[in-house]
Amino acid sequence: MELIDIVLKAGRSAVELSLFILLPIMVVMLCLMRMLEARGVTDWVVAKLAPVLKPVGLTGLSVFAALQISLVSFAAPIATLAMMEQRGASDRHLAATLAMVFAMGQANVMFPMAALDLRLGFALAVSLAGGLLAAAVTYHGFGRRLSAAEKTMDETLKHPVAEDGKGVLDVINRAGAEAFRIAVGVIPMLVLSMVAITILRGLGLFAWLTGLLAPLLQAAAIDPSLVLLTLTKALAGGTAVFGLLDDMHREGTAQIPHAVLVNQSAGWLIHTMDVPGVAILISAGKRVASVCAPAVLGGCVGIAARTAAHVLFG
């Protein structure tokens, strides 16, 4: 009976987060993204930024992947990574792009976190800087021995055109349907992760681990709640972390002011390098999966830099 109660509570929380918080934000951001694509603005931005970012190992399609993760969701760059592989991008460029995606904060967590007092503008700027650093150290460092051979790449993107009212309405409808699929798609993983976390908390695992690490946490002035948040992030992803932070905000269980906790931990908790995130992103293709190791190392550097920036200035 207790397990049923846990499942029902987790299901209710997952549906509320997905449909009442994530979905409205995703609809607005996806409509904006798709309208910019349809109007040619995205292609113009990619064309202008690609030459500037070439020294850090990024291509035009890499820029598009950065826009996708910043404005849509962690899963949005999958299609772009697959496109890069199919169009003949080098392994070094693939590794640099994947590292950038690993290190950056995903829109499907970052924008909802603004409701929990996250400084969104600062977080987006730090996310971009961390992604560029991850790409650079991967391209010139961890992935320097990867193949640099590539075909002459077609970096044009196929977008719907919105030249009249009907075209605009079609773009909005498509974006809304895509947002709904994303929001509903996270519910199963969110329910399972919340059930697992609740059971583990009930068994006392997190309390035991937090007590074990208490001296180190106190010495470093770290809120003990980060143990639970970190394990949840690693095992279940960013959306589950947002769910926990939302619960902590309502229950007031953090030992430091909630806004401080959210902003100082954003670099550590908001990125795509967790078990579900890595598994989903490397499913883009065989060559993408083959460059995962150097990309993970580069992503770690970017995340470390973002963490330091948020702790110092968040």
Side-chain angles (χ1 to χ4, degrees):
M1 192 66 179
E2 188 173 349
L3 178 60
I4 299 299
D5 290 338
I6 291 173
V7 172
L8 291 176
K9 183 179 179 181
R12 191 181 307 113
S13 298
V15 170
E16 288 177 355
L17 285 171
S18 298
L19 299 185
F20 300 128
I21 296 179
L22 180 58
L23 179 59
I25 292 172
M26 293 306 300
V27 167
V28 173
M29 296 311 300
L30 265 171
C31 285
L32 174 62
M33 182 76 174
R34 298 309 180 218
M35 284 302 301
L36 292 176
E37 291 174 3
R39 293 291 186 179
V41 176
T42 303
D43 290 334
W44 182 84
V45 171
V46 168
K48 293 296 182 183
L49 290 181
V52 178
L53 299 179
K54 189 175 181 180
V56 299
L58 299 178
T59 67
L61 288 176
S62 305
V63 176
F64 188 63
L67 291 174
Q68 287 177 312
I69 194 168
S70 298
L71 297 178
V72 184
S73 77
F74 80 99
I78 294 175
T80 303
L81 289 167
M83 194 183 304
M84 290 180 68
E85 177 171 321
Q86 293 163 6
R87 293 185 181 184
S90 71
D91 289 349
R92 284 182 74 183
H93 282 121
L94 279 174
T97 304
L98 185 59
M100 174 195 71
V101 172
F102 280 156
M104 291 183 68
Q106 64 270 49
N108 60 293
V109 176
M110 195 169 288
F111 282 94
M113 287 273 280
L116 300 182
D117 301 320
L118 176 68
R119 292 168 54 200
L120 186 59
F122 176 75
L124 287 170
V126 172
S127 171
L128 178 59
L132 295 179
L133 175 61
V137 298
T138 301
Y139 188 78
H140 296 289
F142 300 119
R144 67 185 182 279
R145 294 183 180 178
L146 294 174
S147 172
E150 62 183 2
K151 301 176 183 177
T152 302
M153 286 187 63
D154 173 16
E155 296 195 314
T156 58
L157 298 164
K158 308 297 189 294
H159 303 309
V161 178
E163 294 180 345
D164 54 23
K166 185 177 182 301
V168 171
L169 184 60
D170 183 59
V171 170
I172 292 174
N173 287 336
R174 289 175 181 270
E178 187 178 352
F180 186 79
R181 286 196 300 272
I182 292 173
V184 172
V186 304
I187 292 177
M189 179 63 75
L190 194 54
V191 171
L192 291 174
S193 63
M194 285 185 166
V195 169
I197 296 301
T198 303
I199 291 174
L200 292 175
R201 288 176 73 176
L203 293 174
L205 176 63
F206 293 126
W208 172 79
L209 187 57
T210 300
L212 184 67
L213 297 175
L216 294 175
L217 296 175
Q218 291 175 358
I222 296 174
D223 191 324
S225 61
L226 276 176
V227 175
L228 173 60
L229 291 168
T230 299
L231 289 173
T232 302
K233 167 61 182 171
L235 298 175
T239 309
V241 167
F242 173 68
L244 276 179
L245 282 169
D246 185 52
D247 288 342
M248 291 170 62
H249 178 61
R250 284 185 283 187
E251 296 170 4
T253 55
Q255 294 187 6
I256 61 177
H258 188 75
V260 176
L261 173 64
V262 167
N263 284 284
Q264 290 192 347
S265 65
W268 178 247
L269 296 176
I270 308 177
H271 53 80
T272 63
M273 205 161 67
D274 46 57
V275 172
V278 172
I280 290 172
L281 287 169
I282 65 174
S283 69
K286 290 183 178 179
R287 286 206 296 129
V288 175
S290 71
V291 301
C292 181
V296 165
L297 294 174
C300 288
V301 174
I303 292 168
R306 288 183 57 215
T307 300
H310 277 279
V311 169
L312 293 174
F313 307 109

